[in-house]
Amino acid sequence: MPVRRLLAAQDQESEPIIDGRVLTRSISTALARGQFQRVPLMNGTTADEWRLMVALSHDLVGRPVTARTYRSAIAAAFGVRPAVAAEIATRYPLNAYPSPALALAAAGTDGIFACTAREVNQLASRYSRSRPLVDATKSLTARERWVGWPSTTRNTGRSESCSSRLQKSMKV
């Protein structure tokens, strides 16, 4: 198959390809169903994972995030409507960060990386015989700001995963 055809067919997401032979189901499905090999698991993210994306999308192309463009940068980064971007902006107020770029980086790190890592840790731990030595997502204070924190919603008291809360919030 020509490289250009492969590139045209690739998904923009960084999800693994489920081919039915090597990978027979998504990672989240395998973890939720307990259908994975019981081996030690190390999972996590860095504290500032999204800073690179902010630099590539804004700073290095001459479009720095400013107070005026902050909400639209959030909307573009997450593919959400302006009302949802405004809600995210209230959880990451500009006056809490040295710059608008760092506020956007914190929101991206939390919503895209830390939330996913926490969900993977929670799903995998249901099938583990040992407790994790460190759960870095618990020690990161900003991580609890992402869409309904901590692990229960304020309104219902029911436990929900970060990603299900994120999906619900994006339907606002």
Side-chain angles (χ1 to χ4, degrees), residues 50-51 53-54 57-58 65 69-70 73-75 77-78 88 92 94 97 99-110:
W50 198 252
R51 283 187 183 189
M53 307 315 160
V54 173
S57 300
H58 298 279
V65 181
T69 63
Y70 180 54
I74 291 171
F78 298 111
I88 293 169
Y92 296 86
L94 290 175
Y97 297 91
S99 72
L102 292 177
L104 178 61
T109 296
D110 293 350

mmCIF file of all heavy atoms in Angstrom, residues 50-51 53-54 57-58 65 69-70 73-75 77-78 88 92 94 97 99-110:
data_model
loop_
_atom_site.group_PDB
_atom_site.id
_atom_site.type_symbol
_atom_site.label_atom_id
_atom_site.label_comp_id
_atom_site.label_asym_id
_atom_site.label_seq_id
_atom_site.Cartn_x
_atom_site.Cartn_y
_atom_site.Cartn_z
ATOM 1 N N TRP A 50 0.670 19.138 28.207
ATOM 2 C CA TRP A 50 0.047 19.907 27.127
ATOM 3 C C TRP A 50 0.836 21.165 26.755
ATOM 4 O O TRP A 50 0.523 21.832 25.767
ATOM 5 C CB TRP A 50 -1.383 20.263 27.513
ATOM 6 C CG TRP A 50 -2.235 20.660 26.349
ATOM 7 C CD1 TRP A 50 -2.670 21.926 26.064
ATOM 8 C CD2 TRP A 50 -2.753 19.833 25.319
ATOM 9 N NE1 TRP A 50 -3.428 21.923 24.926
ATOM 10 C CE2 TRP A 50 -3.488 20.648 24.443
ATOM 11 C CE3 TRP A 50 -2.650 18.470 25.038
ATOM 12 C CZ2 TRP A 50 -4.137 20.147 23.315
ATOM 13 C CZ3 TRP A 50 -3.305 17.976 23.920
ATOM 14 C CH2 TRP A 50 -4.026 18.806 23.080
ATOM 15 N N ARG A 51 1.882 21.494 27.489
ATOM 16 C CA ARG A 51 2.669 22.691 27.154
ATOM 17 C C ARG A 51 3.242 22.604 25.751
ATOM 18 O O ARG A 51 3.301 23.609 25.034
ATOM 19 C CB ARG A 51 3.800 22.907 28.162
ATOM 20 C CG ARG A 51 3.317 23.479 29.464
ATOM 21 C CD ARG A 51 4.484 23.839 30.353
ATOM 22 N NE ARG A 51 4.013 24.330 31.631
ATOM 23 C CZ ARG A 51 4.796 24.880 32.528
ATOM 24 N NH1 ARG A 51 6.088 25.011 32.303
ATOM 25 N NH2 ARG A 51 4.294 25.302 33.672
ATOM 26 N N MET A 53 1.919 21.149 23.159
ATOM 27 C CA MET A 53 0.852 21.418 22.192
ATOM 28 C C MET A 53 0.552 22.919 22.107
ATOM 29 O O MET A 53 0.309 23.440 21.022
ATOM 30 C CB MET A 53 -0.436 20.674 22.575
ATOM 31 C CG MET A 53 -0.291 19.196 22.802
ATOM 32 S SD MET A 53 0.700 18.378 21.540
ATOM 33 C CE MET A 53 1.119 16.908 22.427
ATOM 34 N N VAL A 54 0.577 23.587 23.244
ATOM 35 C CA VAL A 54 0.358 25.041 23.249
ATOM 36 C C VAL A 54 1.483 25.725 22.482
ATOM 37 O O VAL A 54 1.230 26.616 21.657
ATOM 38 C CB VAL A 54 0.246 25.579 24.691
ATOM 39 C CG1 VAL A 54 0.191 27.102 24.695
ATOM 40 C CG2 VAL A 54 -0.991 25.011 25.377
ATOM 41 N N SER A 57 0.989 24.965 18.691
ATOM 42 C CA SER A 57 -0.229 25.547 18.110
ATOM 43 C C SER A 57 -0.288 27.066 18.208
ATOM 44 O O SER A 57 -1.046 27.694 17.475
ATOM 45 C CB SER A 57 -1.470 24.981 18.809
ATOM 46 O OG SER A 57 -1.534 23.601 18.664
ATOM 47 N N HIS A 58 0.457 27.637 19.126
ATOM 48 C CA HIS A 58 0.330 29.073 19.369
ATOM 49 C C HIS A 58 1.676 29.799 19.328
ATOM 50 O O HIS A 58 1.923 30.606 18.448
ATOM 51 C CB HIS A 58 -0.367 29.324 20.716
ATOM 52 C CG HIS A 58 -1.748 28.769 20.755
ATOM 53 N ND1 HIS A 58 -2.817 29.426 20.216
ATOM 54 C CD2 HIS A 58 -2.231 27.600 21.247
ATOM 55 C CE1 HIS A 58 -3.910 28.701 20.370
ATOM 56 N NE2 HIS A 58 -3.571 27.592 20.993
ATOM 57 N N VAL A 65 -1.227 32.735 23.046
ATOM 58 C CA VAL A 65 -2.507 32.799 23.750
ATOM 59 C C VAL A 65 -2.490 34.063 24.597
ATOM 60 O O VAL A 65 -1.545 34.303 25.352
ATOM 61 C CB VAL A 65 -2.723 31.565 24.651
ATOM 62 C CG1 VAL A 65 -4.074 31.641 25.353
ATOM 63 C CG2 VAL A 65 -2.603 30.284 23.844
ATOM 64 N N THR A 69 -7.789 35.891 23.674
ATOM 65 C CA THR A 69 -7.978 34.683 22.851
ATOM 66 C C THR A 69 -8.086 33.401 23.671
ATOM 67 O O THR A 69 -8.229 32.314 23.100
ATOM 68 C CB THR A 69 -6.819 34.523 21.848
ATOM 69 O OG1 THR A 69 -5.583 34.337 22.568
ATOM 70 C CG2 THR A 69 -6.721 35.727 20.922
ATOM 71 N N TYR A 70 -8.004 33.525 24.992
ATOM 72 C CA TYR A 70 -7.959 32.342 25.869
ATOM 73 C C TYR A 70 -9.143 31.396 25.649
ATOM 74 O O TYR A 70 -8.963 30.206 25.422
ATOM 75 C CB TYR A 70 -7.868 32.799 27.324
ATOM 76 C CG TYR A 70 -7.823 31.687 28.340
ATOM 77 C CD1 TYR A 70 -6.880 30.665 28.258
ATOM 78 C CD2 TYR A 70 -8.708 31.664 29.408
ATOM 79 C CE1 TYR A 70 -6.827 29.657 29.209
ATOM 80 C CE2 TYR A 70 -8.660 30.668 30.360
ATOM 81 C CZ TYR A 70 -7.721 29.662 30.251
ATOM 82 O OH TYR A 70 -7.667 28.667 31.187
ATOM 83 N N ALA A 73 -9.101 29.718 22.317
ATOM 84 C CA ALA A 73 -8.026 28.712 22.286
ATOM 85 C C ALA A 73 -8.491 27.430 22.975
ATOM 86 O O ALA A 73 -8.186 26.321 22.519
ATOM 87 C CB ALA A 73 -6.762 29.254 22.943
ATOM 88 N N ILE A 74 -9.238 27.570 24.066
ATOM 89 C CA ILE A 74 -9.798 26.399 24.743
ATOM 90 C C ILE A 74 -10.771 25.686 23.814
ATOM 91 O O ILE A 74 -10.714 24.459 23.656
ATOM 92 C CB ILE A 74 -10.510 26.797 26.058
ATOM 93 C CG1 ILE A 74 -9.497 27.275 27.093
ATOM 94 C CG2 ILE A 74 -11.339 25.632 26.608
ATOM 95 C CD1 ILE A 74 -10.119 27.898 28.331
ATOM 96 N N ALA A 75 -11.663 26.445 23.187
ATOM 97 C CA ALA A 75 -12.647 25.848 22.280
ATOM 98 C C ALA A 75 -11.961 25.090 21.147
ATOM 99 O O ALA A 75 -12.361 23.976 20.799
ATOM 100 C CB ALA A 75 -13.570 26.931 21.726
ATOM 101 N N ALA A 77 -8.819 23.873 21.140
ATOM 102 C CA ALA A 77 -8.028 22.748 21.653
ATOM 103 C C ALA A 77 -8.897 21.524 21.942
ATOM 104 O O ALA A 77 -8.494 20.392 21.693
ATOM 105 C CB ALA A 77 -7.277 23.163 22.914
ATOM 106 N N PHE A 78 -10.091 21.755 22.466
ATOM 107 C CA PHE A 78 -10.943 20.647 22.882
ATOM 108 C C PHE A 78 -12.088 20.371 21.921
ATOM 109 O O PHE A 78 -12.840 19.421 22.120
ATOM 110 C CB PHE A 78 -11.507 20.909 24.286
ATOM 111 C CG PHE A 78 -10.442 21.014 25.325
ATOM 112 C CD1 PHE A 78 -10.168 22.221 25.940
ATOM 113 C CD2 PHE A 78 -9.686 19.915 25.673
ATOM 114 C CE1 PHE A 78 -9.172 22.325 26.888
ATOM 115 C CE2 PHE A 78 -8.691 20.004 26.619
ATOM 116 C CZ PHE A 78 -8.430 21.214 27.227
ATOM 117 N N ILE A 88 -14.830 25.740 31.169
ATOM 118 C CA ILE A 88 -13.455 25.275 31.397
ATOM 119 C C ILE A 88 -12.593 26.449 31.865
ATOM 120 O O ILE A 88 -11.795 26.303 32.791
ATOM 121 C CB ILE A 88 -12.880 24.617 30.125
ATOM 122 C CG1 ILE A 88 -13.639 23.322 29.819
ATOM 123 C CG2 ILE A 88 -11.385 24.339 30.285
ATOM 124 C CD1 ILE A 88 -13.335 22.730 28.458
ATOM 125 N N TYR A 92 -10.009 27.109 35.194
ATOM 126 C CA TYR A 92 -8.597 27.442 35.001
ATOM 127 C C TYR A 92 -8.496 28.957 34.801
ATOM 128 O O TYR A 92 -8.181 29.431 33.717
ATOM 129 C CB TYR A 92 -8.031 26.682 33.790
ATOM 130 C CG TYR A 92 -8.050 25.203 34.016
ATOM 131 C CD1 TYR A 92 -9.192 24.451 33.726
ATOM 132 C CD2 TYR A 92 -6.961 24.551 34.579
ATOM 133 C CE1 TYR A 92 -9.236 23.090 33.978
ATOM 134 C CE2 TYR A 92 -7.000 23.193 34.834
ATOM 135 C CZ TYR A 92 -8.138 22.471 34.537
ATOM 136 O OH TYR A 92 -8.190 21.130 34.796
ATOM 137 N N LEU A 94 -7.378 32.747 34.560
ATOM 138 C CA LEU A 94 -6.102 33.343 34.153
ATOM 139 C C LEU A 94 -5.299 33.881 35.321
ATOM 140 O O LEU A 94 -4.066 33.801 35.311
ATOM 141 C CB LEU A 94 -6.350 34.454 33.125
ATOM 142 C CG LEU A 94 -6.828 33.976 31.764
ATOM 143 C CD1 LEU A 94 -7.160 35.161 30.865
ATOM 144 C CD2 LEU A 94 -5.800 33.067 31.110
ATOM 145 N N TYR A 97 -2.513 31.629 36.970
ATOM 146 C CA TYR A 97 -1.361 31.166 36.186
ATOM 147 C C TYR A 97 -0.508 32.350 35.757
ATOM 148 O O TYR A 97 -1.017 33.453 35.570
ATOM 149 C CB TYR A 97 -1.836 30.391 34.948
ATOM 150 C CG TYR A 97 -2.599 29.155 35.327
ATOM 151 C CD1 TYR A 97 -3.979 29.204 35.492
ATOM 152 C CD2 TYR A 97 -1.945 27.955 35.585
ATOM 153 C CE1 TYR A 97 -4.688 28.076 35.884
ATOM 154 C CE2 TYR A 97 -2.644 26.828 35.979
ATOM 155 C CZ TYR A 97 -4.011 26.895 36.124
ATOM 156 O OH TYR A 97 -4.701 25.784 36.525
ATOM 157 N N SER A 99 0.673 32.970 32.899
ATOM 158 C CA SER A 99 0.327 33.445 31.555
ATOM 159 C C SER A 99 -0.885 32.682 31.044
ATOM 160 O O SER A 99 -1.181 31.575 31.503
ATOM 161 C CB SER A 99 1.504 33.236 30.596
ATOM 162 O OG SER A 99 1.645 31.851 30.317
ATOM 163 N N PRO A 100 -1.593 33.242 30.055
ATOM 164 C CA PRO A 100 -2.709 32.516 29.445
ATOM 165 C C PRO A 100 -2.265 31.184 28.821
ATOM 166 O O PRO A 100 -3.000 30.197 28.867
ATOM 167 C CB PRO A 100 -3.226 33.488 28.385
ATOM 168 C CG PRO A 100 -2.864 34.834 28.900
ATOM 169 C CD PRO A 100 -1.529 34.629 29.567
ATOM 170 N N ALA A 101 -1.066 31.149 28.251
ATOM 171 C CA ALA A 101 -0.566 29.906 27.657
ATOM 172 C C ALA A 101 -0.440 28.804 28.707
ATOM 173 O O ALA A 101 -0.779 27.642 28.451
ATOM 174 C CB ALA A 101 0.784 30.149 26.974
ATOM 175 N N LEU A 102 0.029 29.166 29.899
ATOM 176 C CA LEU A 102 0.181 28.163 30.955
ATOM 177 C C LEU A 102 -1.178 27.726 31.516
ATOM 178 O O LEU A 102 -1.339 26.574 31.930
ATOM 179 C CB LEU A 102 1.101 28.675 32.050
ATOM 180 C CG LEU A 102 2.559 28.845 31.624
ATOM 181 C CD1 LEU A 102 3.388 29.422 32.759
ATOM 182 C CD2 LEU A 102 3.144 27.528 31.129
ATOM 183 N N ALA A 103 -2.145 28.615 31.513
ATOM 184 C CA ALA A 103 -3.500 28.222 31.922
ATOM 185 C C ALA A 103 -4.081 27.218 30.934
ATOM 186 O O ALA A 103 -4.655 26.196 31.321
ATOM 187 C CB ALA A 103 -4.392 29.461 32.022
ATOM 188 N N LEU A 104 -3.916 27.492 29.644
ATOM 189 C CA LEU A 104 -4.390 26.562 28.613
ATOM 190 C C LEU A 104 -3.645 25.230 28.713
ATOM 191 O O LEU A 104 -4.254 24.157 28.603
ATOM 192 C CB LEU A 104 -4.196 27.173 27.226
ATOM 193 C CG LEU A 104 -4.611 26.296 26.045
ATOM 194 C CD1 LEU A 104 -6.094 25.956 26.096
ATOM 195 C CD2 LEU A 104 -4.261 26.986 24.729
ATOM 196 N N ALA A 105 -2.353 25.292 28.971
ATOM 197 C CA ALA A 105 -1.553 24.064 29.110
ATOM 198 C C ALA A 105 -2.030 23.233 30.294
ATOM 199 O O ALA A 105 -2.106 22.001 30.204
ATOM 200 C CB ALA A 105 -0.071 24.414 29.260
ATOM 201 N N ALA A 106 -2.374 23.878 31.390
ATOM 202 C CA ALA A 106 -2.875 23.143 32.566
ATOM 203 C C ALA A 106 -4.205 22.460 32.251
ATOM 204 O O ALA A 106 -4.418 21.290 32.597
ATOM 205 C CB ALA A 106 -3.025 24.096 33.752
ATOM 206 N N ALA A 107 -5.106 23.168 31.586
ATOM 207 C CA ALA A 107 -6.403 22.581 31.232
ATOM 208 C C ALA A 107 -6.215 21.387 30.295
ATOM 209 O O ALA A 107 -6.848 20.335 30.475
ATOM 210 C CB ALA A 107 -7.298 23.635 30.583
ATOM 211 N N GLY A 108 -5.340 21.537 29.312
ATOM 212 C CA GLY A 108 -5.090 20.446 28.373
ATOM 213 C C GLY A 108 -4.450 19.241 29.032
ATOM 214 O O GLY A 108 -4.833 18.099 28.787
ATOM 215 N N THR A 109 -3.465 19.495 29.890
ATOM 216 C CA THR A 109 -2.809 18.403 30.602
ATOM 217 C C THR A 109 -3.822 17.637 31.448
ATOM 218 O O THR A 109 -3.871 16.406 31.425
ATOM 219 C CB THR A 109 -1.676 18.939 31.497
ATOM 220 O OG1 THR A 109 -0.671 19.521 30.664
ATOM 221 C CG2 THR A 109 -1.054 17.833 32.335
ATOM 222 N N ASP A 110 -4.653 18.370 32.164
ATOM 223 C CA ASP A 110 -5.637 17.722 33.030
ATOM 224 C C ASP A 110 -6.671 16.954 32.225
ATOM 225 O O ASP A 110 -6.930 15.777 32.475
ATOM 226 C CB ASP A 110 -6.351 18.759 33.895
ATOM 227 C CG ASP A 110 -5.429 19.410 34.902
ATOM 228 O OD1 ASP A 110 -4.288 18.950 35.069
ATOM 229 O OD2 ASP A 110 -5.873 20.380 35.532
#
